[in-house]
Amino acid sequence: MGFRGRLRVCWSLLLGMGLLIGMAVPQPGHAVPGSTFEAKVIGVTDGDSLKVLRGRESIRIRLEGVDCPEMRPPQPYCRKAKTFISQRAFNRKVRVRVITTDKYGRKVCRVEVDGQDLSVELLRAGLAWHYKRYNQEPALASLQAEARARKRGLWADPNPIPPWEWRRRKRS
């Protein structure tokens, strides 16, 4: 290969690397892991899923560290969990810390309203399970254990079915 051929290969590699680097750089306004921003809650899908408005961007959010009872088919305490979150967050300004993005494209986040972490509050009220598959925080495990010991919320049921088992039963 002559000089011009090598030059074309080098130029192609540099151009390709530039495009890849450009794709990896987050665009302004996008919620990326590790970012924190303020937004307004414009929708509550269920106990652990929200929709927020950041500027003109609508962002679907899944609360990190918890799994609430399923809405479809309805699982016991699903409406109580949704109402609990709606009363605390709907139409309110929240602080969002992005952890990751799930397989459905939702941002998995910790969300605070007036300094109160919604994941923590759901566990404290006994309206969610600590989602140990994705979160190993001892503080969240402790909150679930306390709610269970005091039979708060869904823990008043002698054998509550975790949402991941509920979903598995629904699929089969």
Side-chain angles (χ1 to χ4, degrees):
M1 180 182 310
F3 175 75
R4 287 186 182 193
R6 286 193 301 266
L7 188 60
R8 267 190 232 120
V9 169
C10 287
W11 182 251
S12 295
L13 286 171
L14 286 172
L15 182 61
M17 287 176 58
L19 289 174
L20 287 174
I21 290 169
M23 288 178 0
V25 174
Q27 300 301 310
H30 287 273
V32 296
S35 68
T36 302
F37 60 90
E38 291 188 350
K40 181 179 180 179
V41 176
I42 59 170
V44 177
T45 308
D46 57 31
D48 54 31
S49 301
L50 314 167
K51 188 180 282 190
V52 300
L53 189 61
R54 178 186 185 199
R56 292 183 177 200
E57 179 185 18
S58 174
I59 303 169
R60 292 181 312 136
I61 290 180
R62 168 79 163 76
L63 295 179
E64 195 268 343
V66 295
D67 200 3
C68 286
E70 290 294 307
M71 293 293 288
R72 290 191 183 104
Q75 188 174 3
Y77 292 91
C78 65
R79 285 180 183 76
K80 286 186 181 193
K82 180 179 179 177
T83 300
F84 182 88
I85 290 301
S86 294
Q87 290 173 342
R88 279 158 183 74
F90 182 70
N91 211 22
R92 307 246 344 248
K93 191 174 190 180
V94 295
R95 184 160 187 78
V96 178
R97 181 169 46 98
V98 182
I99 307 300
T100 190
T101 301
D102 71 9
K103 65 183 180 181
Y104 304 107
R106 297 176 298 185
K107 300 301 175 188
V108 179
C109 307
R110 293 303 278 266
V111 178
E112 290 183 7
V113 180
D114 295 330
Q116 301 290 311
D117 183 315
L118 293 178
S119 297
V120 166
E121 295 306 314
L122 279 165
L123 287 168
R124 186 174 282 139
L127 295 172
W129 276 259
H130 175 211
Y131 211 174
K132 295 176 187 174
R133 179 175 178 186
Y134 299 104
N135 175 295
Q136 289 78 41
E137 286 181 52
L140 296 185
S142 177
L143 287 165
Q144 177 179 300
E146 180 185 335
R148 188 176 199 159
R150 296 177 187 250
K151 297 184 182 334
R152 286 191 202 125
L154 60 87
W155 301 110
D157 186 327
N159 290 315
I161 301 168
W164 51 90
E165 287 181 19
W166 189 267
R167 290 187 291 268
R168 192 175 323 123
R169 290 179 185 181
K170 182 178 117 178
R171 283 186 294 248
S172 52

